[in-house]
Amino acid sequence: MRRLLLTAAAATAAALTLTACGTTEPAADAKPDKKAERITLTDASGAKVELDGPAKKVVATEWNVVESLISLGVDPAGVADVKGYRTWDTAVPLKNDAKDIGTRGEPSMDTVAALKPDLVVATTDLPPAAVKQLREIAPVLEVKAADASDPVGQMTENLDLIAQATGTTEQAEKLKKQFDAKIAEGKKALADAGLAGASYAFADGYVVSNQVSIRPFTSGSLVGGVNEKLGLKNDWSVQGDEAYGLGTTDVEGLTKLSEDVHFAYIGNDGDKASNPFTGVLADDKVWTSLPFVKKGNVHRLPDGIWMFGGPESMNQYIDAVVAALTKK
């Protein structure tokens, strides 16, 4: 099973160096050479992070921060589990040949050190011992993995912090405005289709040793927070965890959902254990007897939407939900 390993102080500007051409003497209006201003940030762990200037060569230990970097225009030099990122996050594909630094939970310190990064961006899910080792290699900026009390706010807060470290705050503002516009667009489309306030439940699932586990995304999840902004009503009664807002249930637990609920899920054909809904549940009597299954109110959203990503993944998710629910 895949594993989840999901402010800031001052912004910065790089100084321009102007030089005279065709003369050994500086032009009268030329400005003196000036090093880029140092950046000092406080990350999610409370640590002070000091940089000589905007970080350019960056290593990322988690997929959500990989997405944020690329969205901000910074191609990461190193990425944890490159193959997994390409499988699960298609909204913001890698544009460069990033070095695979190992798994999201256990990055290779030797590989990271060989890259000589300006900055390592990690999440608070990374074990403290690993963060300590990384800090011996380069400055490490930790962002909070998730916060069920304000999942959408945490997503944008993380984006802003990474933007400050990389000198890309203007692009961060653009991404946030695009996300807000996509929310408004999706909410209107659902309302126009008579789906304002519709009961909705989103989940993923997996199979381990022939046992099906279903993971509800409650209102405290990032997807759940987006759903509520779209005007959909969360139909899950299970409790989610304090960070990711994720619950746990089985096929019997689905009998507690409303009869008129729209049930949506994401699987991935590149990860066979991730999709029980078209696999082992296809012939399960409990599943096939559920009212929303009989009514055809089950929607598989496209592969490659990373449910724990950044604004661009959530834009992709919104488009998918609107298309699925309004499909005639």
Side-chain angles (χ1 to χ4, degrees):
M1 121 180 215
R2 62 189 177 282
R3 189 172 26 158
L4 287 178
L5 288 178
L6 267 155
T7 172
T12 162
L16 297 175
T17 301
L18 302 179
T19 57
C21 297
T23 176
T24 58
E25 296 295 325
D29 60 347
K31 296 181 180 179
D33 287 353
K34 184 180 177 182
K35 289 185 179 180
E37 295 179 11
R38 286 182 64 80
I39 300 171
T40 301
L41 301 171
T42 302
D43 72 6
S45 72
K48 293 286 185 183
V49 181
E50 295 188 356
L51 303 170
D52 292 334
K56 303 300 181 186
K57 193 172 187 181
V58 187
V59 167
T61 70
E62 182 53 75
W63 295 342
N64 59 339
V65 298
V66 172
E67 177 180 327
S68 291
L69 286 165
I70 302 170
S71 294
L72 290 167
V74 180
D75 293 328
V79 170
D81 187 4
V82 169
K83 181 180 179 181
Y85 182 84
R86 288 182 169 141
T87 298
W88 284 99
D89 194 327
T90 61
V92 186
L94 283 166
K95 300 175 184 177
N96 64 327
D97 187 20
K99 182 71 174 178
D100 194 312
I101 64 166
T103 68
R104 291 179 286 160
E106 297 180 5
S108 165
M109 300 302 162
D110 289 342
T111 304
V112 174
L115 290 171
K116 299 180 179 178
D118 302 328
L119 178 69
V120 176
V121 183
T123 75
T124 51
D125 277 345
L126 195 63
V131 175
K132 182 179 180 180
Q133 287 182 280
L134 288 171
R135 291 196 193 279
E136 295 173 358
I137 297 170
V140 176
L141 182 75
E142 284 190 90
V143 299
K144 191 171 183 178
D147 183 356
S149 68
D150 184 11
V152 175
Q154 188 63 56
M155 175 190 73
T156 56
E157 184 176 310
N158 290 349
L159 181 73
D160 285 340
L161 187 58
I162 295 170
Q164 290 166 10
T166 55
T168 55
T169 54
E170 288 187 10
Q171 177 64 9
E173 291 303 315
K174 184 183 297 184
L175 290 167
K176 290 187 290 185
K177 287 178 181 178
Q178 291 171 348
F179 172 68
D180 289 341
K182 182 65 70 174
I183 287 283
E185 174 189 313
K187 184 174 183 178
K188 184 179 185 301
L190 291 173
D192 289 347
L195 291 166
S199 295
Y200 180 80
F202 178 83
D204 66 2
Y206 46 91
V207 182
V208 178
S209 301
N210 294 320
Q211 296 296 312
V212 174
S213 292
I214 294 169
R215 186 166 62 173
F217 284 61
T218 72
S219 57
S221 67
L222 178 56
V223 163
V226 170
N227 294 338
E228 292 193 347
K229 287 182 177 294
L230 291 173
L232 296 171
K233 180 183 177 183
N234 171 47
D235 202 57
W236 290 113
S237 58
V238 299
Q239 295 296 311
D241 69 272
E242 293 182 356
Y244 290 97
L246 301 174
T248 182
T249 190
D250 55 18
V251 67
E252 295 287 345
L254 299 179
T255 61
K256 298 178 181 179
L257 292 173
S258 304
E259 292 189 3
D260 62 347
V261 69
H262 287 270
F263 182 86
Y265 69 93
I266 285 178
N268 198 299
D269 287 340
D271 184 349
K272 297 300 183 182
S274 71
N275 190 10
F277 304 103
T278 56
V280 298
L281 289 182
D283 298 320
D284 185 275
K285 292 182 179 179
V286 176
W287 169 257
T288 56
S289 67
L290 293 167
F292 59 86
V293 175
K294 289 183 175 180
K295 292 178 182 179
N297 284 344
V298 177
H299 314 279
R300 179 179 180 177
L301 303 188
D303 290 10
I305 301 175
W306 184 229
M307 298 85 74
F308 312 96
E312 293 196 86
S313 276
M314 291 302 99
N315 291 348
Q316 187 184 43
Y317 171 78
I318 292 165
D319 284 341
V321 171
V322 172
L325 269 59
T326 61
K327 185 178 180 180
K328 301 297 183 182

